[in-house]
Amino acid sequence: MRMHKKKNTDKRIQACMDYCYYFDGVKSDSPVFLEIGCGKGAFICENAQNFPDINFAAVEKISDVIVMAMEKAKSLNLQNVKFLTADAKNLGDFFAPGQISRIYLNFSDPWHKRYQYNKRLTAPFFLEIYKKILKPGANIILKTDNVGFFDFSVKNLSLNGFDVKNKTYDLYAGEFLDGNVQTEYEKNFVEQNMKICYLDAVLT
Ligand code: SAH
């Protein structure tokens, strides 16, 4: 997500301190669901509202973006979501082994060029990091508009210890749409009649 550098981001983040994962990690014993690259937070906040018994955590590397997600959570007075400004490559520094029950990857940067594939959030390097923090039997749910990135993800998940149990190239045409929560990007793509790919992969 590209943006102009915003003024006052640090101050705005300070005003949302209760929502900072650094200072106030996940408290209850409920399962923890983690979104990586949460953008402005529509998805994680709607899920937190829908499932008060789940602890949600969201990681985003751009502070000017995550601050909007934090402000959204604060305005909704959500009690079960925390935000972490970090790169996904450092997740192992913040979450304990086996702490996470589900990872959501929504419209991750597709990195079109072959020499950039190792930056994709489903490259083997990242899957190894996720495997450390995921519980056995936990799952990764992924949505994207990009078929190349989707096929790459299916292949790498299958080769790296995940069982891709559900997948579709057209989420809106089929059975997995029930209970779907739209992200900001998704809303935009759906309005343009673009197809959304979806998969659910279980750590075996
Ligand atoms: N999930 C949101 C935003 C999608 S854009 C939506 O669907 O609307 C992808 C987001 O992932 C961007 O905000 C980008 O900053 C973030 N991102 C990309 N690589 C990341 C990484 N390595 N670690 C954390 N966040 C990352």
Side-chain angles (χ1 to χ4, degrees), residues 97-132:
Q99 192 185 356
I100 304 296
S101 296
R102 176 176 294 172
I103 286 177
Y104 292 107
L105 291 170
N106 292 319
F107 302 87
S108 307
D109 300 341
W111 296 108
H112 295 280
K113 303 212 169 68
R114 185 169 289 275
Y115 68 87
Q116 298 170 321
Y117 284 3
N118 58 354
K119 296 187 183 185
R120 287 177 163 175
L121 288 181
T122 49
F125 165 79
F126 285 105
L127 297 184
E128 286 309 312
I129 293 168
Y130 307 158
K131 273 156 73 172
K132 289 194 185 112

Side-chain angles (χ1 to χ4, degrees), residues 7 13 16 19 35 59 65 67 69-70 81 90 92 99 122 127 147-148 160 170 175 178 182 188 190 194 197 204:
K7 285 185 193 160
I13 287 180
C16 298
Y19 290 91
E35 186 186 13
V59 177
V65 175
V67 69
M70 295 170 80
V81 59
N90 299 321
Q99 192 185 356
T122 49
L127 297 184
V147 174
N160 288 279
D170 191 0
E175 60 194 303
D178 209 26
Q182 277 188 340
N188 208 0
V190 170
M194 288 167 66
C197 305
T204 53

Side-chain angles (χ1 to χ4, degrees), residues 1-3 35-43 59-63 65-66 84-91 104-111 119-121 126 130 143 182-189:
M1 190 173 280
R2 285 201 191 118
M3 306 199 53
E35 186 186 13
I36 303 175
C38 69
K40 298 178 191 168
F43 176 87
V59 177
E60 166 59 55
K61 65 178 178 184
I62 301 178
S63 56
V65 175
I66 202 170
L84 176 60
T85 313
D87 193 298
K89 68 180 182 202
N90 299 321
L91 282 171
Y104 292 107
L105 291 170
N106 292 319
F107 302 87
S108 307
D109 300 341
W111 296 108
K119 296 187 183 185
R120 287 177 163 175
L121 288 181
F126 285 105
Y130 307 158
K143 292 193 277 189
Q182 277 188 340
T183 78
E184 276 106 0
Y185 274 45
E186 182 173 354
K187 190 165 183 292
N188 208 0
F189 291 136

Side-chain angles (χ1 to χ4, degrees), residues 42-65:
F43 176 87
I44 204 78
C45 288
E46 192 174 333
N47 272 291
Q49 276 182 308
N50 292 351
F51 301 100
D53 295 336
I54 303 284
N55 287 309
F56 291 91
V59 177
E60 166 59 55
K61 65 178 178 184
I62 301 178
S63 56
D64 285 349
V65 175

